[in-house]
Amino acid sequence: MAEFRVAVLASGDGSNLQALIDEIHRPGIAKIVLVTSDNPGARALARAKDTGIPAQSLPPQPGEGRRAYHARLAELVRVCRPDLVVLAGYMRLLPKAFVQEFAPIINVHPSLLPAFPGLDAPGQALAQGVKVSGCTVHLVDEGMDTGPILIQEPELVLPGDTPELLHKRIKVLEHRALVRAVAAFAQGKVQKAGSNLMIEEETDASKASLTQRV
Ligand code: GRF
């Protein structure tokens, strides 16, 4: 069977990338064929290199706009023929042309979307005084952290939480959710019903519980 090829875009530490390296980058599951970053100092690049995964820094050039930058990025990604593109802490908004060419693209975000899109989602959640936050894995469209939701996991806000503490706990959930999402794509288990995305087994489970309730 042909290997399932994954390209990862990351701008920072790369702990989500590390979870993918540890859990899905192996024969029979998936192969991470490229890690690229707009930030040459991103630890994500070092994590990839340490594992022998092709890692490419692609910093924006002075004055380069979003579309021009992503056209250069597209050249890089195109060559590695990914079946799935994963945004694992990628801090730029993808333009329409990139989203259309490389779909499906998934993103992981540290809140229960559609609440708190954008930067510092844990800080936004604390500022609003919510009692539960969490993480979301969703399909990427042209919006900021919009697009059909595939997985969400909740995390309780604790007394004395800071954005850093809350984010640290949410990241543990993110790693698990992102691994589940990529594995589901690799196994062809992601299903779409209208704008609703589901993982196959969960569809069956929810059908069963619905039958039971009725
Ligand atoms: C994660 O919380 C992700 O949801 C957000 O940026 C963070 C990246 O963390 N978009 P890491 O670089 O994977 O450690």
Side-chain angles (χ1 to χ4, degrees), residues 42-119:
R43 187 167 168 217
L45 291 170
R47 291 181 192 266
K49 281 182 195 147
D50 287 349
T51 320
I53 295 170
Q56 179 78 52
S57 150
L58 192 74
Q61 290 165 350
E64 187 177 38
R66 191 164 68 95
R67 287 205 196 116
Y69 173 76
H70 285 94
R72 281 201 298 130
L73 180 63
E75 286 174 23
L76 199 64
V77 174
R78 197 174 291 133
V79 171
C80 74
R81 296 176 288 106
D83 298 300
L84 178 70
V85 174
V86 177
L87 308 188
Y90 182 66
M91 301 307 285
R92 291 171 189 271
L93 194 59
L94 296 176
K96 184 175 180 180
F98 192 100
V99 172
Q100 287 182 339
E101 177 171 355
F102 295 106
I105 304 174
I106 58 172
N107 180 44
V108 60
H109 183 77
S111 75
L112 295 176
L113 292 170
F116 314 128
L119 293 176

Side-chain angles (χ1 to χ4, degrees), residues 10-19 43-44 47 87-91 107-111 118 121-122 135-136 145 167-168 170-171 174-175 178:
S11 299
D13 182 51
S15 68
N16 280 286
L17 167 68
Q18 190 66 52
R43 187 167 168 217
R47 291 181 192 266
L87 308 188
Y90 182 66
M91 301 307 285
N107 180 44
V108 60
H109 183 77
S111 75
C135 76
T136 303
D145 300 320
H167 197 181
K168 197 172 168 193
I170 289 175
K171 273 194 172 192
E174 287 190 318
H175 300 161
L178 194 59

Side-chain angles (χ1 to χ4, degrees), residues 112-183:
L112 295 176
L113 292 170
F116 314 128
L119 293 176
D120 189 22
Q124 294 185 54
L126 292 181
Q128 281 297 320
V130 301
K131 308 304 177 214
V132 182
S133 190
C135 76
T136 303
V137 176
H138 66 96
L139 268 188
V140 171
D141 60 15
E142 296 152 53
M144 169 81 75
D145 300 320
T146 53
I149 289 169
L150 181 62
I151 298 175
Q152 290 191 306
E153 294 215 24
E155 176 67 36
L156 289 180
V157 174
L158 300 178
D161 253 345
T162 63
E164 293 73 27
L165 286 172
L166 179 58
H167 197 181
K168 197 172 168 193
R169 295 201 307 282
I170 289 175
K171 273 194 172 192
V172 175
L173 304 180
E174 287 190 318
H175 300 161
R176 194 167 65 198
L178 194 59
V179 164
R180 251 177 80 210
V182 174

